[in-house]
Amino acid sequence: MRKVSFRSLASHKLRLVLTVFSVVLGTSFVAGAVIFTSTVSSAFNSIFDNVAKGVSVEVSATGQQSSGIPNSMVDDLEKNKQSLGIARVATGNTGSVTLADASGRAIQTGGAPSVGISYTAPDKAVGEQATVVQGRAPQRSGEIAVNSEAAEKGDLKVGSKTKLVVGAGLSKPMEVTVVGITDMPSSTGGYVGVLFDSASASTLFSDGKHVATVDLAARDGVSDTQLRDAVHAHLAKLLEQQGQQIDLDKVYDVRTGEQVREDQKESINQFLTIFRAILLAFAAIGLLVGTFIIYNTFSMIVAQRNRELALLRAIGASRKNVSRSVLLEALIVGILGGALGLALGIGIAAVMIAFTESQGVPSNGIEVGVGAIVSAVFVGVVVTLLSAWIPARRASRIPPVEAMRESTVEPGAGSLRVRTLIGAVIGVLGIVALVIGGLGEGTGPALIVGVGALLAIIAVVLAAPAISRPVVGAFGALFEKPFGTVGKLARTNAVRNPRRSAATAFALTLGLMLVVIIGTLGWSFKGTVDSAVDNGLRADFVVTGTNNMPLPLSVADYVTDAPDADKVVAQAYGAAEYDGKDVYLSSPYGGTIGDVASITMLEGTEQLPGDGLLVSDTSARDNGWKLGQDVTFVSTNGENVETRVTGIFAANEAIASMMVGWESYEKLVPDVMKRISGPVLVVAKSGANADQLRTQLEDATAEFLTAQVQDRSQFKNSISSQIDQMMITLYALLGLSLVIAVLGIINTLALSVVEREQEIGMLRAVGTSRAQVRRTIYLESTYIAVFGALLGTVLGLAIGIPLVRTLAHWGLEGVVIPWALIGGTLVGAAVVGVIAALWPAVTAARTRPLEAITAE
């Protein structure tokens, strides 16, 4: 039987290639995802191996919005060095910066960090520091040293004068001189590292009373772990002696240098795990689509080999022999597909790595590990064997008497009643779940929609064959008149085997279902953005940071100086803790939020006192707050800040859902961490010329390097373009399933042409022209493709609409159906049908009548 399997594959090379290719496309994305994430993870790990190198223990604040470590705590550690086992204490300050290049424009990092760091002389430093390779280290205010990669990119040299903006706090643009070029251990990609003298870094990145980090070197004979435990116990006791009711571990991190490096690695690996999960999800979609193609292929192979398999039974082969023969063919296909998928996956990973390198993400070359090899081959084999299992069982049930038949009727092509009935029951349950989920908001209803979506997909798989007959028949009837007998014959071919037609169409159904769901989500998000800007903002212009860069609050002060600006309000951003959970809040800066935004008060007033709290109705509901209620926030420094709910307004996506008065904001957020959240909103004076005001705003913000001025329309378009970019990325990934779907149609039609060789020969013999044969195959393919597209569209809308409704809890206003996308999808499906049929149609048209009629 092994010889039979090998000879069957060898004698049907084209069929083998088509089947293997469907496995290759799915497994290649699995391999590509594993290789890409492991390569990037390895590169980041090698970088983080240099973080805190030579540092025995590091003390830092837990919250990113914290002021840092008090100077008094640093002094205490210095004082108790001997008893704690400390050899040296070094402090550091850091913060985000934007550096201008030689032409005065911001150096683009491609997403990599752009940070300012305090320089410590080697004789006072703890651990490895940046090495000055040209010039000297900064010694006074206005002097900086830049890492060599950033200097080269910005065409900066020792002696270059440029500008710099600190990305947070109340700072103003600075004139600086490059006095040194450095080699930094962690420098990679688009990273920008700017060194300042200690005094300047303290002024720019701290309030002068705190430092960002404290690095400690252990004395001889004291291990890093011993020093960490001693320092932790000492600081906890210090807080207790000072009467501070603060849990040390909630406010400060006391870690060994090794722990710092591992935490850094873990944070990037968590992101990469999520990213890999997304890629693998799309690979799974491709594999699922490929499963139907492989199932279809092996079903048709079994049908075409009825006589052959029956003869094997007649000469003594058992049912197990026959089924094992088919599964052996599937195993060979799976191994070949997995191996080739691995090769293609390496290519996909190489392209992804090249792109991410151009965006500043580091890489040390492609790493193909054992995991990628095993995953590609294993997935390819398992998917193929599972897909071929049912056809193999059918093959084993072919009775020996079939050897005397001329026809190749596919086994199992009996009544569809039972599976259709089961599909209908599951479909009703799915509809009920989708309706119930769509009536609610939040996580619970969204999960119910997910269950309904799964049930709906299963129902379509089961009921699609029965649905295909009337739908394809009705669609075919439209073309019967213009195409006459050819159209009628194509319709007959498309409905003669509903199982096969449905399985072929489902590959397209699944891909287009996801396209419609993503399209509905994307268009609804854009609709929400448009509504928020049109109905929620009164501003004529907005000032934002390019590439999502933060802007210091001083930008709002500069904008206020524009002569034709009437009202200028920014939302200052901050973070705090409430009831053990992190919350994000803002505070109006420069005026009242009602001056620039449309706010509908439900209770209280929009006038915000210094200790007031203005919240949206959704935030009030989620936290159980009432008007007049006292609310206590905990700052990142562990201090309690009392506020009072003075107003509740209808949720508005254009403004923050939680705003505190400026007095409370200053207590919650250190000066160096104060920054703008969202745009600076500008209302023009009555009668002001829009173009003139734009020029004034551009002139006022020119020094801030990353500030951009937009009108309302441009602001909406900039947000919508970000959504479009995300959708295009998702569509590109979904393109994998569509490619496999097209391949499936080609595969099915090609095998169908072989299966109907005698039939096509008879048609040619009675006068059917080659053009008519081709046209028949084109129409048959189009019927199947459009049926799959219609089914995918209906299924996508059935899932997408209730899913959007559940997201109303998070601000999504309403459902926007992407009619243009749907229309283009249906037209595209018809085009896909024709394209997929080109090669099978040409093959069918070349069938020679006499050879086909006499063929066995």
Side-chain angles (χ1 to χ4, degrees), residues 94 107-117 146-151 153 182 184-195 359-361:
T94 185
I107 297 177
Q108 300 299 315
T109 66
S114 179
V115 295
I117 310 165
V146 185
N147 63 304
S148 56
E149 292 85 356
K153 189 173 183 179
T182 67
M184 292 187 175
S186 59
S187 179
T188 184
Y191 176 84
V192 176
V194 181
L195 293 184
Q359 300 301 308
V361 178

mmCIF file of all heavy atoms in Angstrom, residues 94 107-117 146-151 153 182 184-195 359-361:
data_model
loop_
_atom_site.group_PDB
_atom_site.id
_atom_site.type_symbol
_atom_site.label_atom_id
_atom_site.label_comp_id
_atom_site.label_asym_id
_atom_site.label_seq_id
_atom_site.Cartn_x
_atom_site.Cartn_y
_atom_site.Cartn_z
ATOM 1 N N THR A 94 16.581 61.264 34.377
ATOM 2 C CA THR A 94 16.329 61.028 32.956
ATOM 3 C C THR A 94 14.926 61.492 32.591
ATOM 4 O O THR A 94 14.060 61.619 33.463
ATOM 5 C CB THR A 94 16.496 59.527 32.612
ATOM 6 O OG1 THR A 94 16.354 59.332 31.218
ATOM 7 C CG2 THR A 94 15.455 58.694 33.337
ATOM 8 N N ILE A 107 14.874 65.130 15.029
ATOM 9 C CA ILE A 107 15.429 63.840 14.604
ATOM 10 C C ILE A 107 14.381 62.764 14.845
ATOM 11 O O ILE A 107 13.912 62.568 15.969
ATOM 12 C CB ILE A 107 16.719 63.512 15.379
ATOM 13 C CG1 ILE A 107 17.807 64.554 15.068
ATOM 14 C CG2 ILE A 107 17.209 62.115 15.039
ATOM 15 C CD1 ILE A 107 19.083 64.341 15.859
ATOM 16 N N GLN A 108 13.987 62.058 13.787
ATOM 17 C CA GLN A 108 12.958 61.032 13.898
ATOM 18 C C GLN A 108 13.586 59.742 14.424
ATOM 19 O O GLN A 108 14.638 59.305 13.956
ATOM 20 C CB GLN A 108 12.303 60.777 12.543
ATOM 21 C CG GLN A 108 11.622 62.006 11.950
ATOM 22 C CD GLN A 108 10.507 62.537 12.835
ATOM 23 O OE1 GLN A 108 9.684 61.785 13.343
ATOM 24 N NE2 GLN A 108 10.500 63.855 13.037
ATOM 25 N N THR A 109 12.916 59.124 15.394
ATOM 26 C CA THR A 109 13.467 57.927 16.033
ATOM 27 C C THR A 109 12.839 56.645 15.510
ATOM 28 O O THR A 109 13.327 55.553 15.850
ATOM 29 C CB THR A 109 13.239 57.986 17.549
ATOM 30 O OG1 THR A 109 11.823 57.906 17.816
ATOM 31 C CG2 THR A 109 13.798 59.272 18.125
ATOM 32 N N GLY A 110 11.751 56.752 14.749
ATOM 33 C CA GLY A 110 11.088 55.539 14.270
ATOM 34 C C GLY A 110 10.480 54.725 15.389
ATOM 35 O O GLY A 110 10.304 53.516 15.263
ATOM 36 N N GLY A 111 10.154 55.367 16.508
ATOM 37 C CA GLY A 111 9.543 54.654 17.625
ATOM 38 C C GLY A 111 10.522 54.305 18.731
ATOM 39 O O GLY A 111 10.127 53.899 19.823
ATOM 40 N N ALA A 112 11.820 54.418 18.462
ATOM 41 C CA ALA A 112 12.818 54.142 19.499
ATOM 42 C C ALA A 112 12.827 55.290 20.516
ATOM 43 O O ALA A 112 12.384 56.399 20.218
ATOM 44 C CB ALA A 112 14.197 53.971 18.865
ATOM 45 N N PRO A 113 13.337 55.060 21.740
ATOM 46 C CA PRO A 113 13.356 56.123 22.754
ATOM 47 C C PRO A 113 14.220 57.301 22.341
ATOM 48 O O PRO A 113 15.216 57.148 21.631
ATOM 49 C CB PRO A 113 13.937 55.412 23.982
ATOM 50 C CG PRO A 113 13.736 53.958 23.734
ATOM 51 C CD PRO A 113 13.829 53.774 22.256
ATOM 52 N N SER A 114 13.835 58.475 22.817
ATOM 53 C CA SER A 114 14.639 59.684 22.676
ATOM 54 C C SER A 114 14.699 60.310 24.071
ATOM 55 O O SER A 114 13.723 60.916 24.520
ATOM 56 C CB SER A 114 14.020 60.651 21.660
ATOM 57 O OG SER A 114 14.788 61.829 21.542
ATOM 58 N N VAL A 115 15.818 60.115 24.764
ATOM 59 C CA VAL A 115 15.865 60.444 26.189
ATOM 60 C C VAL A 115 17.073 61.299 26.524
ATOM 61 O O VAL A 115 18.105 61.269 25.849
ATOM 62 C CB VAL A 115 15.908 59.160 27.062
ATOM 63 C CG1 VAL A 115 14.624 58.367 26.914
ATOM 64 C CG2 VAL A 115 17.100 58.296 26.702
ATOM 65 N N GLY A 116 16.888 62.072 27.587
ATOM 66 C CA GLY A 116 17.979 62.825 28.164
ATOM 67 C C GLY A 116 18.457 62.123 29.426
ATOM 68 O O GLY A 116 17.640 61.597 30.201
ATOM 69 N N ILE A 117 19.774 62.094 29.654
ATOM 70 C CA ILE A 117 20.361 61.341 30.767
ATOM 71 C C ILE A 117 21.406 62.209 31.453
ATOM 72 O O ILE A 117 22.149 62.948 30.796
ATOM 73 C CB ILE A 117 21.040 60.042 30.260
ATOM 74 C CG1 ILE A 117 20.102 59.261 29.354
ATOM 75 C CG2 ILE A 117 21.512 59.180 31.422
ATOM 76 C CD1 ILE A 117 20.791 58.183 28.540
ATOM 77 N N VAL A 146 25.951 63.601 22.498
ATOM 78 C CA VAL A 146 24.943 62.818 21.772
ATOM 79 C C VAL A 146 25.548 61.490 21.332
ATOM 80 O O VAL A 146 26.736 61.443 20.961
ATOM 81 C CB VAL A 146 24.433 63.593 20.528
ATOM 82 C CG1 VAL A 146 23.304 62.834 19.848
ATOM 83 C CG2 VAL A 146 23.980 64.986 20.926
ATOM 84 N N ASN A 147 24.737 60.430 21.362
ATOM 85 C CA ASN A 147 25.233 59.140 20.885
ATOM 86 C C ASN A 147 25.559 59.219 19.393
ATOM 87 O O ASN A 147 24.933 59.971 18.632
ATOM 88 C CB ASN A 147 24.225 58.026 21.165
ATOM 89 C CG ASN A 147 22.916 58.202 20.442
ATOM 90 O OD1 ASN A 147 22.269 59.228 20.580
ATOM 91 N ND2 ASN A 147 22.510 57.209 19.686
ATOM 92 N N SER A 148 26.556 58.459 18.966
ATOM 93 C CA SER A 148 27.097 58.587 17.618
ATOM 94 C C SER A 148 26.055 58.305 16.543
ATOM 95 O O SER A 148 26.041 58.968 15.493
ATOM 96 C CB SER A 148 28.291 57.635 17.441
ATOM 97 O OG SER A 148 27.920 56.299 17.731
ATOM 98 N N GLU A 149 25.139 57.342 16.765
ATOM 99 C CA GLU A 149 24.112 57.020 15.763
ATOM 100 C C GLU A 149 23.186 58.210 15.523
ATOM 101 O O GLU A 149 22.871 58.555 14.382
ATOM 102 C CB GLU A 149 23.295 55.802 16.209
ATOM 103 C CG GLU A 149 24.061 54.496 16.228
ATOM 104 C CD GLU A 149 24.838 54.288 17.520
ATOM 105 O OE1 GLU A 149 24.844 55.207 18.382
ATOM 106 O OE2 GLU A 149 25.445 53.219 17.672
ATOM 107 N N ALA A 150 22.736 58.854 16.606
ATOM 108 C CA ALA A 150 21.858 60.014 16.470
ATOM 109 C C ALA A 150 22.600 61.192 15.853
ATOM 110 O O ALA A 150 22.039 61.946 15.039
ATOM 111 C CB ALA A 150 21.286 60.395 17.833
ATOM 112 N N ALA A 151 23.865 61.371 16.230
ATOM 113 C CA ALA A 151 24.652 62.474 15.683
ATOM 114 C C ALA A 151 24.814 62.315 14.179
ATOM 115 O O ALA A 151 24.686 63.288 13.413
ATOM 116 C CB ALA A 151 26.019 62.528 16.362
ATOM 117 N N LYS A 153 22.826 60.640 12.149
ATOM 118 C CA LYS A 153 21.527 60.819 11.510
ATOM 119 C C LYS A 153 21.143 62.293 11.435
ATOM 120 O O LYS A 153 20.543 62.743 10.458
ATOM 121 C CB LYS A 153 20.464 60.030 12.282
ATOM 122 C CG LYS A 153 19.116 59.972 11.600
ATOM 123 C CD LYS A 153 18.176 59.038 12.345
ATOM 124 C CE LYS A 153 16.841 58.925 11.620
ATOM 125 N NZ LYS A 153 15.916 57.995 12.317
ATOM 126 N N THR A 182 29.162 60.232 21.875
ATOM 127 C CA THR A 182 29.331 59.098 22.787
ATOM 128 C C THR A 182 29.044 57.763 22.113
ATOM 129 O O THR A 182 28.398 57.696 21.064
ATOM 130 C CB THR A 182 28.391 59.232 24.002
ATOM 131 O OG1 THR A 182 27.029 59.108 23.550
ATOM 132 C CG2 THR A 182 28.585 60.571 24.685
ATOM 133 N N MET A 184 27.141 54.515 23.335
ATOM 134 C CA MET A 184 26.296 54.035 24.421
ATOM 135 C C MET A 184 26.050 52.538 24.260
ATOM 136 O O MET A 184 25.708 52.078 23.168
ATOM 137 C CB MET A 184 24.957 54.780 24.430
ATOM 138 C CG MET A 184 25.071 56.248 24.801
ATOM 139 S SD MET A 184 23.446 57.017 25.003
ATOM 140 C CE MET A 184 23.925 58.649 25.576
ATOM 141 N N PRO A 185 26.152 51.762 25.335
ATOM 142 C CA PRO A 185 25.945 50.319 25.245
ATOM 143 C C PRO A 185 24.551 49.944 24.746
ATOM 144 O O PRO A 185 24.387 48.955 24.048
ATOM 145 C CB PRO A 185 26.149 49.851 26.699
ATOM 146 C CG PRO A 185 26.973 50.910 27.338
ATOM 147 C CD PRO A 185 26.573 52.180 26.678
ATOM 148 N N SER A 186 23.527 50.741 25.103
ATOM 149 C CA SER A 186 22.148 50.389 24.743
ATOM 150 C C SER A 186 21.675 51.081 23.474
ATOM 151 O O SER A 186 20.507 51.015 23.125
ATOM 152 C CB SER A 186 21.203 50.765 25.894
ATOM 153 O OG SER A 186 21.276 52.151 26.167
ATOM 154 N N SER A 187 22.589 51.772 22.771
ATOM 155 C CA SER A 187 22.191 52.511 21.574
ATOM 156 C C SER A 187 21.915 51.564 20.419
ATOM 157 O O SER A 187 22.730 50.737 20.061
ATOM 158 C CB SER A 187 23.299 53.489 21.177
ATOM 159 O OG SER A 187 22.952 54.192 20.005
ATOM 160 N N THR A 188 20.735 51.690 19.810
ATOM 161 C CA THR A 188 20.360 50.833 18.684
ATOM 162 C C THR A 188 19.238 51.477 17.901
ATOM 163 O O THR A 188 18.497 52.315 18.409
ATOM 164 C CB THR A 188 19.924 49.437 19.170
ATOM 165 O OG1 THR A 188 19.655 48.613 18.035
ATOM 166 C CG2 THR A 188 18.654 49.519 19.988
ATOM 167 N N GLY A 189 19.100 51.065 16.631
ATOM 168 C CA GLY A 189 17.997 51.561 15.815
ATOM 169 C C GLY A 189 17.994 53.075 15.743
ATOM 170 O O GLY A 189 19.013 53.716 15.481
ATOM 171 N N GLY A 190 16.841 53.681 16.002
ATOM 172 C CA GLY A 190 16.716 55.132 15.953
ATOM 173 C C GLY A 190 16.902 55.796 17.297
ATOM 174 O O GLY A 190 16.523 56.966 17.483
ATOM 175 N N TYR A 191 17.471 55.092 18.269
ATOM 176 C CA TYR A 191 17.634 55.602 19.625
ATOM 177 C C TYR A 191 18.407 56.919 19.646
ATOM 178 O O TYR A 191 19.418 57.072 18.969
ATOM 179 C CB TYR A 191 18.363 54.553 20.470
ATOM 180 C CG TYR A 191 18.696 54.983 21.882
ATOM 181 C CD1 TYR A 191 17.756 54.871 22.891
ATOM 182 C CD2 TYR A 191 19.951 55.483 22.196
ATOM 183 C CE1 TYR A 191 18.067 55.245 24.194
ATOM 184 C CE2 TYR A 191 20.267 55.860 23.489
ATOM 185 C CZ TYR A 191 19.322 55.742 24.484
ATOM 186 O OH TYR A 191 19.631 56.118 25.772
ATOM 187 N N VAL A 192 17.895 57.871 20.438
ATOM 188 C CA VAL A 192 18.571 59.152 20.650
ATOM 189 C C VAL A 192 18.859 59.288 22.139
ATOM 190 O O VAL A 192 17.940 59.288 22.963
ATOM 191 C CB VAL A 192 17.715 60.340 20.166
ATOM 192 C CG1 VAL A 192 18.408 61.660 20.503
ATOM 193 C CG2 VAL A 192 17.446 60.243 18.675
ATOM 194 N N GLY A 193 20.143 59.355 22.486
ATOM 195 C CA GLY A 193 20.540 59.517 23.882
ATOM 196 C C GLY A 193 21.332 60.800 24.050
ATOM 197 O O GLY A 193 22.387 60.972 23.428
ATOM 198 N N VAL A 194 20.831 61.712 24.866
ATOM 199 C CA VAL A 194 21.454 63.021 25.064
ATOM 200 C C VAL A 194 21.946 63.115 26.504
ATOM 201 O O VAL A 194 21.168 62.951 27.444
ATOM 202 C CB VAL A 194 20.453 64.158 24.779
ATOM 203 C CG1 VAL A 194 21.128 65.513 24.973
ATOM 204 C CG2 VAL A 194 19.881 64.029 23.378
ATOM 205 N N LEU A 195 23.250 63.370 26.673
ATOM 206 C CA LEU A 195 23.835 63.514 28.004
ATOM 207 C C LEU A 195 23.851 64.983 28.420
ATOM 208 O O LEU A 195 24.193 65.863 27.628
ATOM 209 C CB LEU A 195 25.265 62.971 28.026
ATOM 210 C CG LEU A 195 25.467 61.462 27.846
ATOM 211 C CD1 LEU A 195 26.938 61.112 28.004
ATOM 212 C CD2 LEU A 195 24.627 60.676 28.818
ATOM 213 N N GLN A 359 12.367 51.004 10.924
ATOM 214 C CA GLN A 359 11.601 51.814 11.862
ATOM 215 C C GLN A 359 12.301 51.950 13.214
ATOM 216 O O GLN A 359 11.717 52.460 14.164
ATOM 217 C CB GLN A 359 10.216 51.180 12.073
ATOM 218 C CG GLN A 359 9.384 51.061 10.809
ATOM 219 C CD GLN A 359 9.129 52.394 10.158
ATOM 220 O OE1 GLN A 359 8.672 53.341 10.813
ATOM 221 N NE2 GLN A 359 9.412 52.504 8.871
ATOM 222 N N GLY A 360 13.549 51.452 13.298
ATOM 223 C CA GLY A 360 14.315 51.624 14.526
ATOM 224 C C GLY A 360 14.308 50.445 15.468
ATOM 225 O O GLY A 360 14.893 50.516 16.545
ATOM 226 N N VAL A 361 13.661 49.338 15.102
ATOM 227 C CA VAL A 361 13.643 48.151 15.966
ATOM 228 C C VAL A 361 14.917 47.360 15.721
ATOM 229 O O VAL A 361 15.271 47.083 14.568
ATOM 230 C CB VAL A 361 12.406 47.271 15.682
ATOM 231 C CG1 VAL A 361 12.431 46.011 16.544
ATOM 232 C CG2 VAL A 361 11.134 48.069 15.935
#
